[in-house]
Amino acid sequence: MAEYAPLPDVQTLHGTPPIGPTPEGGEVQVIASGWKLALREFLDNRLAVVGALVLIFFVLFCFVGPLVYHTNQTLTNPLITDLPPGGGHPLGTDENGFDELGRIMVGGQTALEVGFLASFIATVVGTLYGSIAGLAGGIVDNVLMRFVDILLSIPFLLIVLVLATKYSATVLEEALILGSFSWLVPARLVRGEVLTLRERDFVYAARVMGSRRSRLVVRHLIPNALSVVIVNVTFQIADAILALAYLGFLGFGLQYPSVSWGDMLGNAQNYVSEGYWWLVYPVGGCLVAVVLACNLIGDALRDAFDVRLRRR
Amino acid sequence: MIGFVIRRLAVAVLVTLGIALVTFLLLHILSPSPVYAVLGAKAEPAAVKAWNLQHGYDRPVLAQFLTYIGNIIHGDFGYSYKLSQSVTALFREHSGRSAYLSGSALVLSLLIALPLGIAQAVRRNSIGDYTVTSLNFILYSMPSFFLGLILIQFLALDWGVFPPVVSDQITTVWGAFTHPLQLTLPIVTLAAINVASFSRYMRSSALDNLAQDYIRLARAKGLSQRAVLTRHLLRNACLPMITLVGLSIPYLLAGNLLIEVLFNYSGIGLLFYTALGNLDYNVLLAYVIAGGILTVLGNLIADVAVAVADPRIRLG
């Protein structure tokens, strides 16, 4: 485990390390906050940087792309259905005459929006729930966590599908139903973290100084449990985007004119047998690339925050 | 041990009741009564009221829930008004085929993932290890239906080795067993997704074990690499896999659902999918609750199995 030189005061902790050239013997560590060390570790991981770049590319592609590449994505055009790539349509057109490249951009917007929003909901709810349970302890903790156990035992995709039969028309609804069943894992993680944190000296010190519980949670426990949460967020995004794709594929996607990548793959089986490869593989490839990027980032973040694995 | 099992069983029963309650309430919010499915969307209010009264849907939710639980205990999961059959009979008819699909996919994925993980751990950081790790990562990030589509494109449509969908003629498990070509693609697709997650864990578990003294001892006393790997490493590295398999049941169910829809294979997953389209609430309710029960049982069995397999673990 890395051993850090004693930290002199808060100023040096957050400011630039006031350390000159490494003395002979080189045992002195550069003082940097855990966050900076984690960031450095993350940037050293080449796969993670690729993942981050891919994700940034897709955010730009989906949200800035349509500003540059203008296509009609609301009115169907029966004259140009199922055209193969070429001639003004780099990726061809789909069965309604929508330009496929433009459609991938629009579908990517909703996929990313639902992914980020669902993971945001899950993370906020889970963090608050977990820290309350961990801090309260005793019977409150027991009751709260048994409830989490129950919800976790319900297969995620099945219950989400049942809810999606009624609530899946808009991005907000999809994000809400996905988020409302994915806060359970962050809640467990944060509770576990809080259980160890609450016995630490700095939390005792804060208690002795008379902080209220809310301050304890917001100011001390959540920031210290944040690394666990951040790692989980990226996996949540990946899972939400995948789940949205499943919903779309099974026909419980967004309502016209909104569309997501999963909705576009809804008829993929027919496209494959008709030989319309451009309606299947570009969308599917984008989907896999975004999910893969999120997973790579998540893995790297987990390694970066794990002090035990950290190189010195 | 027995005390532990009894206590865990009691908890499992409570959790199952909780699962049933949550699912029941959610579905009740979505649709308080299946009356419109039976009498049609334009049914007369009086007829609706009479039907609800006759079938007990006018009673308080909790009273309905208690009746439902009582019926479940007697093996009655309600009646599918869309398919005019009891849900229990429907499940009895379809579950065998689904169990065959999941079971063979699970066995196949373990048969691939365990040796693969060990091989990766032994040749860690080689080109082969990196290739398999990257492939696993891609598979892991891929929706199962997309993998299925790729397999259909190449193996079924382009090369014509396997049929693109499972034939309607396959109605029994025995039929599926005697026509292996029909189910190859569904099983392989489902297994590939599992291999991606299983072999990752197997690799790291084997890596942990390879660094331990007992492996060094086994090598020092002159055992061949093969004996070290099969007799010493495999058994110990498999221990975490027991838990993983127990925990993978919800994913198997979800995977089943997608694969059955994709290949038009008539198991309970496809039954559930049809019920989603028809809003056939008793089928939906039964499938979600059954999935929950399987999940709880999977966890329980995994805990007990680990304790049986690993004498170091004492349950108290």
Side-chain angles (χ1 to χ4, degrees), chain A residues 76-117:
Chain A
T76 56
N77 185 349
L79 296 176
I80 52 163
T81 56
D82 299 325
L83 291 181
H89 300 290
L91 285 178
T93 58
D94 68 3
E95 79 269 29
N96 292 318
F98 293 128
D99 179 84
E100 183 69 4
L101 180 61
R103 199 117 185 107
I104 290 178
M105 292 174 181
V106 180
Q109 286 181 9
T110 52
L112 289 169
E113 280 166 10
V114 171
F116 285 113
L117 196 55

Side-chain angles (χ1 to χ4, degrees), chain B residues 197-255:
Chain B
S197 68
F198 285 178
S199 68
R200 265 177 88 187
Y201 284 93
M202 192 61 195
R203 177 181 180 274
S204 72
S205 157
L207 271 181
D208 287 348
N209 276 289
L210 274 177
Q212 305 238 339
D213 287 339
Y214 75 88
I215 294 285
R216 205 170 302 148
L217 175 69
R219 291 221 170 102
K221 71 184 181 189
L223 285 186
S224 66
Q225 169 83 342
R226 197 193 149 94
V228 171
L229 294 186
T230 52
R231 258 193 279 154
H232 293 263
L233 180 66
L234 180 67
R235 294 176 57 168
N236 284 292
C238 275
L239 287 174
M241 300 305 290
I242 300 177
T243 316
L244 194 63
V245 170
L247 290 179
S248 68
I249 286 180
Y251 303 100
L252 267 180
L253 278 176

